[in-house]
Amino acid sequence: MKMKPWAKLAFIITIAAASYAQGPDTLRILFIGNSLTYYNNLPWLVDSLAMSAGKKAVVDMSAFSDYNLEAHRTNAQTLEKIDHGPWDHIILQEYSTYPVIYNARWNHWHPACWSFDTLIRDHGAITTLFMTCGWKN
């Protein structure tokens, strides 16, 4: 079954709605990922959704083609963007196949997520995982 384009953003909409329900006038979100985040311009999409609801979102991203979270952990631009928050949510998007390949999941994805989660919590933000669809074959 093919996923509708908007379905991939359902979790972001849920997060935004939950955060706004708690009261903040502005939601600050940083996206960290690769071409799936960059070329689909997810920060702009979230900003547009917030504006359509009469809310304000401050969005930014650090996204590079073929990047995985492990590479982001040592990327100066990514680390600088985290440091220059404050952020409410930092959304992590892993290389699409890593979560479904056993060795990649345990040797790369999980350690990068745990490391990022510690860093993100230290900056007062909430870690959110953006799970993309893995490529067939």
Side-chain angles (χ1 to χ4, degrees), residues 10-55:
F11 81 98
I12 296 171
I13 295 166
T14 303
I15 288 168
S19 293
Y20 284 142
Q22 295 173 9
D25 294 329
T26 301
L27 184 63
R28 301 178 56 82
I29 304 173
L30 174 64
F31 290 82
I32 297 172
N34 57 40
S35 59
L36 291 171
T37 294
Y38 181 82
Y39 288 109
N40 290 304
N41 204 352
L42 293 183
W44 174 83
L45 249 148
V46 169
D47 187 43
S48 296
L49 287 169
M51 284 184 0
S52 72
K55 300 291 185 174

Side-chain angles (χ1 to χ4, degrees), residues 78-121:
T78 299
L79 298 175
E80 184 176 314
K81 286 185 183 243
I82 291 171
D83 285 341
H84 287 91
W87 303 106
D88 296 309
H89 297 275
I90 298 179
I91 298 176
L92 305 175
Q93 181 244 313
E94 180 58 277
Y95 192 80
S96 61
T97 57
Y98 276 27
V100 296
I101 297 172
Y102 184 83
N103 287 337
R105 179 173 60 241
W106 290 103
N107 295 325
H108 301 284
W109 181 50
H110 282 186
C113 285
W114 292 324
S115 178
F116 261 121
D117 185 53
T118 300
L119 178 65
I120 290 167
R121 286 176 186 228

